[in-house]
Amino acid sequence: MILSPFEWTIAKRYLLPGKSEAFIALVASISIGVVMLSVAMLVVVMSVMNGFRAELLDKIVGLNGHAIVQAYGGRLDDWENILEEVRATPGVVDASPLIEQPLAISFNGRIQGVSVRGNTDEDLAELADKTISGDFSELQAGAGKLAIGVRLAENIGARVGDTITVINLQGRSTPFGTMPRQIGYEVAAIFEVGVYDYDGAFVVMPMQDAQTLLLIGDSVQMIEVTVENADEVGEILAPLSQSLSGRAVVNDWKTINATLFDALQVERAAMAFALSFMVLVAAFNILSSLVMLVRAKTRDIAIMRTMGATRQSLMKIFVTTGFTVGAIGTLAGLALGFAILAGRQQIVQAIGALTGQDLWDPQYRFLTTIPSKVDGGEVTMIVLLALGLSFLATLYPAWKAANTDPVQVLRYE
């Protein structure tokens, strides 16, 4: 929509009302503010929800892979052949054997349930990047050392160099019954994955030590698989699942964490739907401010009509005025939203300090920090939604202005 110099001049005049029109200026400012806040809230909420899903997926995948190949009986005796078959599957980036077993540990008279994991040297090297204290390189087969999560270390009061006892209830049979197997291990490192449940329950050791602890010989319990595209893991591993039918089952991250990610998806959609109504409210604010402007400028509109201004020109003037208000609010909302995202952690900490409440307790939020991931497509949709509703809100007031009868308005002037 191209405006003539006359139309643009009048539109700018209406965008900046004079002192006698302070109330109209106030209503227009409120409209800009409402658009700004609605756009900012949509950007912040959708980015945080996207970040939460991406960060949670990254943490889970970083520890468990995109999928798990697990035997029906809980033990893969021919795991070397299955591992080669998995690695040969198109779309698979990496695969490695894994042992994971719920056990218990004892330290300073305290007993706590944990999940003991036996990892290969390559997987242990990847976990080394998450070290809080100690040295992962000390985790060598037969060294009698392990690593524990930072929350678990805090819960039991263990530090690097301390010896904790791992208890396996499925011990060796004796004439007096089955005796639990208890082995002491030195804490070589403390790590932080970033997922509260993992940091509070996981104990990591070399695979050979885990096999010795669990008395499973050279067997493993599962094979973790990493694929090229996490969202297409089901399609990529479908042929593998068929070929392993009867020997093992393939569970991907969508199945293993279905409840969690489905809940996130539903919450994300619900939040987007609810917050979209804020943009609708902002559009109604623009509509009301334009209606007030048209009523205040009825005499001016009549004079312009008698001087030759067309209905189309008046439509352009008021559509431009209202749309500009929406555009200014949208741009300001984007700036505000990105500013909030940049300082989200500090904002939450400041609010928590003022209220005395822990607003982001990792025990309930899964992650230790507030994540964020800006999706360009979603931001574009938010901008288009705000601008589209702003444009629609201008049509009725502009139509009323264009259909003003100058004869009726100026009859008694």
Side-chain angles (χ1 to χ4, degrees):
M1 184 173 61
I2 301 176
L3 272 67
S4 66
F6 160 72
E7 294 165 349
W8 180 239
T9 300
I10 300 300
K12 287 193 296 182
R13 171 68 182 82
Y14 288 165
L15 281 170
L16 301 171
K19 294 181 179 180
S20 60
E21 301 161 341
F23 185 72
I24 296 177
L26 174 63
V27 174
S29 300
I30 293 174
S31 300
I32 292 175
V34 175
V35 174
M36 177 183 70
L37 291 176
S38 61
V39 170
M41 287 303 299
L42 268 173
V43 170
V44 170
V45 170
M46 297 308 294
S47 297
V48 169
M49 294 296 292
N50 288 337
F52 194 89
R53 180 183 183 276
E55 191 73 11
L56 196 58
L57 176 59
D58 182 65
K59 301 291 187 183
I60 291 173
V61 168
L63 209 57
N64 293 327
H66 291 128
I68 295 292
V69 178
Q70 189 170 12
Y72 288 107
R75 289 177 57 173
L76 288 173
D77 295 321
D78 60 338
W79 64 270
E80 293 93 342
N81 295 329
I82 295 177
L83 181 63
E84 291 300 321
E85 187 175 350
V86 172
R87 288 175 173 171
T89 303
V92 173
V93 175
D94 189 26
S96 59
L98 174 68
I99 295 174
E100 183 174 332
Q101 182 71 28
L103 296 178
I105 62 170
S106 174
F107 179 74
N108 283 343
R110 298 185 61 182
I111 298 178
Q112 181 165 334
V114 296
S115 181
V116 175
R117 292 172 62 97
N119 288 105
T120 62
D121 293 338
E122 294 78 8
D123 291 338
L124 291 175
E126 292 180 5
L127 274 175
D129 296 336
K130 299 175 174 61
T131 304
I132 299 297
S133 60
D135 188 358
F136 255 85
S137 63
E138 296 183 14
L139 269 67
Q140 301 295 330
K145 296 184 178 182
L146 48 70
I148 62 177
V150 62
R151 308 300 172 197
L152 177 59
E154 293 172 355
N155 292 339
I156 65 176
R159 294 177 294 181
V160 173
D162 291 339
T163 299
I164 64 175
T165 301
V166 180
I167 305 171
N168 179 13
L169 298 179
Q170 296 178 348
R172 296 186 183 277
S173 298
T174 69
F176 303 98
T178 302
M179 299 298 293
R181 185 174 176 78
Q182 302 184 43
I183 302 179
Y185 294 90
E186 180 184 338
V187 178
I190 296 175
F191 60 88
E192 183 176 18
V193 176
V195 179
Y196 187 89
D197 288 351
Y198 290 176
D199 292 332
F202 272 32
V203 172
V204 178
M205 63 175 61
M207 178 171 293
Q208 294 85 344
D209 290 355
Q211 289 171 333
T212 302
L213 173 65
L214 299 175
L215 303 174
I216 59 175
D218 190 43
S219 300
V220 301
Q221 292 180 330
M222 59 192 74
I223 295 174
E224 62 176 355
V225 185
T226 304
V227 299
E228 293 176 348
N229 190 335
D231 292 325
E232 297 179 359
V233 61
E235 293 79 1
I236 293 174
L237 297 182
L240 178 66
S241 181
Q242 293 179 357
S243 66
L244 294 179
S245 179
R247 292 184 293 163
V249 60
V250 179
N251 291 316
D252 58 42
W253 65 268
K254 296 180 181 179
T255 303
I256 298 172
N257 305 281
T259 302
L260 176 60
F261 284 99
D262 286 348
L264 285 177
Q265 186 65 26
V266 171
E267 184 178 2
R268 179 173 172 271
M271 292 294 290
F273 179 76
L275 291 176
S276 297
F277 278 95
M278 291 186 63
V279 182
L280 186 61
V281 171
F284 276 110
N285 272 273
I286 294 174
L287 187 149
S288 62
S289 65
L290 271 184
V291 168
M292 293 178 62
L293 181 63
V294 170
R295 290 181 65 85
K297 299 296 182 181
T298 301
R299 183 172 180 275
D300 294 354
I301 294 170
I303 293 174
M304 285 189 287
R305 289 283 287 120
T306 58
M307 295 176 64
T310 64
R311 286 188 172 89
Q312 184 179 11
S313 293
L314 292 173
M315 284 283 292
K316 288 182 179 180
I317 290 170
F318 286 96
V319 167
T320 300
T321 302
F323 185 77
T324 302
V325 169
I328 294 173
T330 300
L331 293 176
L334 289 176
L336 178 61
F338 291 140
I340 292 175
L341 289 175
R344 61 190 181 279
Q345 199 67 36
Q346 293 79 5
I347 293 173
V348 170
Q349 291 173 355
I351 296 175
L354 290 174
T355 60
Q357 301 292 325
D358 187 358
L359 301 181
W360 191 266
D361 189 345
Q363 183 175 356
Y364 304 106
R365 307 293 185 180
F366 294 101
L367 302 179
T368 53
T369 58
I370 302 175
S372 171
K373 181 182 179 182
V374 178
D375 187 318
E378 286 187 349
V379 172
T380 301
M381 290 300 296
I382 291 170
V383 170
L384 292 177
L385 175 65
L387 295 180
L389 289 177
S390 298
F391 174 76
L392 293 176
T394 65
L395 296 180
Y396 174 72
W399 177 80
K400 289 291 289 183
N403 285 276
T404 299
D405 186 355
V407 175
Q408 293 296 329
V409 174
L410 300 176
R411 175 178 295 178
Y412 301 105
E413 295 292 332

